[in-house]
Amino acid sequence: MKEQFASDNGAGICPAALRWLIEANGSGHEPGYGDDRWTQRASDMIRALFQTDCDVYFVFNGTAANSLALASLCQSYHSVICTPVAHVETDECGGPEFFSNGSKLLVTEADSAAGRLGKLTPDAIEQLVTKRSDIHYPKPKVVSITQATELGTVYSVEDLRAIAAIAKRRHLRLHMDGARFANAVAYLGCHPSEITWRAGIDVLCFGGTKNGLPVGDAVVFFDRALSEDFAYRVKQAGQLASKMRFIAAPWVGLLENDVWLANARHANAMAQRLYAALADVPGVSVLHPAQANSVFATISPQAAAAMRTAGWRFYQFIGSGGCRFMCAWDTTPEAVDALAADLRAVAA
Ligand SMILES: *Cc1c(COP(=O)(O)O)cnc(C)c1O
């Protein structure tokens, strides 16, 4: 099928991940449930990457990673502060509430400058925390931020430090949905630790799937006390892979030689290319700064229909609307140029 821009999960497995998957398969019999050397190795590599002794768990997908991580931070009477466009709020079918036995998600106002960029701010958090203090309100306990955001924007180190400061003052835990963590690191050019534990993040859901893995995201506990019994949670949720090595080994391929970062840099560069190509097209208005690997643009309904007729696939329900074009680790400049040319033609 031709290259598409609907999601970065449309791409296949990147060569480095595939090579290690095959390598793990060729290594013969191994213990199950994560007691194998590939899982040990991938976990050690994640600890080395973050330069800290964190606890690492592999699950099948991002929904499970987020839901189980949040459940481990909350009691059922607690609440989680997030944006209205957060994946945990809009795209996980109530998973976080289900796995936490009812912890409520409290969403901030969308209609602020930061809100329009898909970001939480200290003020928005403060507003929700201080709105009520009585027994009838689910007690705020966690702040969940998405890095890069659902709208393709990225929190700076300063943004995160400011959020962490208010979280600390209000005794809130900090969870990061890092489905596109790699794209955020690539954009910021910082060390991964600077936007996680050094900035005050307690738990990171480190996405690998959209970065080039076949399957499997990592839950990384920087505050190791919070991971107590997490393994049981993973097992009960049906997220403990018996052949764990086939989730873990491809991670070795991503982490070795910083392939994860190269993949993200490439995807971001392709989004930049698309953004630049659409900037001056009449009838196309680009919505958010393209900091990570997506471009959001509004076009007329007729133009959108013509794009679909031309065979392009893209989502229009994400964030505050517009068409979302997502670039992946394998997106080619030629495909970007072809997409831009068709958009230019239908918008005219
Ligand atoms: C893709 C994505 C996830 C994970 O989704 P799964 O389909 O469950 O793997 C989580 N958060 C964000 C922001 C995402 O884009």
Side-chain angles (χ1 to χ4, degrees), residues 10-270:
I13 308 171
C14 75
L18 185 58
R19 186 156 49 78
W20 283 98
L21 181 64
I22 291 166
E23 191 87 17
N25 194 45
S27 77
H29 289 206
E30 289 278 344
Y33 303 105
D35 292 331
D36 63 281
R37 59 201 154 112
W38 306 99
T39 304
Q40 184 66 45
R41 183 162 171 185
S43 304
D44 287 344
M45 288 174 89
I46 288 177
R47 283 186 272 274
L49 176 69
F50 286 99
Q51 299 178 342
T52 188
D53 192 17
C54 44
D55 276 349
V56 180
Y57 299 84
F58 296 99
V59 295
F60 289 104
N61 58 28
T63 297
N66 284 333
S67 299
L68 298 176
L70 289 172
S72 72
L73 302 178
C74 281
Q75 296 293 332
S76 57
Y77 47 86
H78 285 144
S79 54
V80 176
I81 293 172
C82 64
T83 70
V85 297
H87 197 271
V88 292
E89 161 71 4
T90 63
D91 290 288
E92 299 190 354
C93 199
E97 294 91 331
F98 176 76
F99 284 107
S100 62
N101 293 311
S103 304
K104 188 174 167 62
L105 302 188
L106 296 179
V107 301
T108 52
E109 303 282 338
D111 198 23
S112 66
R116 281 187 289 277
L117 295 174
K119 291 188 188 181
L120 277 180
T121 59
D123 283 352
I125 295 165
E126 181 76 6
Q127 203 196 330
L128 279 178
V129 176
T130 54
K131 191 170 162 188
R132 296 258 299 267
S133 59
D134 58 273
I135 201 86
H136 307 284
Y137 189 62
K139 187 180 179 192
K141 187 69 177 180
V142 182
V143 173
S144 176
I145 47 193
T146 310
Q147 175 78 319
T149 73
E150 288 78 3
L151 303 189
T153 54
V154 174
Y155 288 93
S156 67
V157 176
E158 296 71 40
D159 287 343
L160 295 171
R161 284 187 178 276
I163 288 171
I166 177 88
K168 188 163 188 191
R169 186 145 27 98
R170 295 294 179 185
H171 307 292
L172 306 168
R173 293 294 188 177
L174 265 180
H175 161 258
M176 180 176 276
D177 173 349
R180 300 190 180 89
F181 180 76
N183 304 89
V185 175
Y187 171 74
L188 293 170
C190 65
H191 190 270
S193 65
E194 279 181 73
I195 54 167
T196 53
W197 64 274
R198 287 189 213 271
I201 302 297
D202 295 305
V203 185
L204 167 71
C205 295
F206 190 177
T209 310
K210 287 166 180 159
N211 190 250
L213 290 187
V215 64
D217 292 349
V219 184
V220 183
F221 285 88
F222 298 109
D223 182 342
R224 297 179 59 196
L226 296 171
S227 73
E228 194 190 350
D229 292 345
F230 192 73
Y232 293 90
R233 220 178 256 292
V234 169
K235 174 66 188 183
Q236 187 182 52
Q239 288 288 324
L240 182 67
S242 67
K243 290 191 181 178
M244 181 81 84
R245 63 190 183 279
F246 296 118
I247 290 182
W251 267 100
V252 173
L254 270 199
L255 294 165
E256 193 182 53
N257 304 320
D258 282 339
V259 169
W260 66 285
L261 202 49
N263 283 353
R265 284 199 184 113
H266 174 81
N268 290 6
M270 291 301 102

Side-chain angles (χ1 to χ4, degrees), residues 329-345:
W329 65 270
D330 68 342
T331 298
T332 61
E334 293 74 25
V336 171
D337 296 348
L339 176 74
D342 279 4
L343 276 165
R344 187 179 287 270

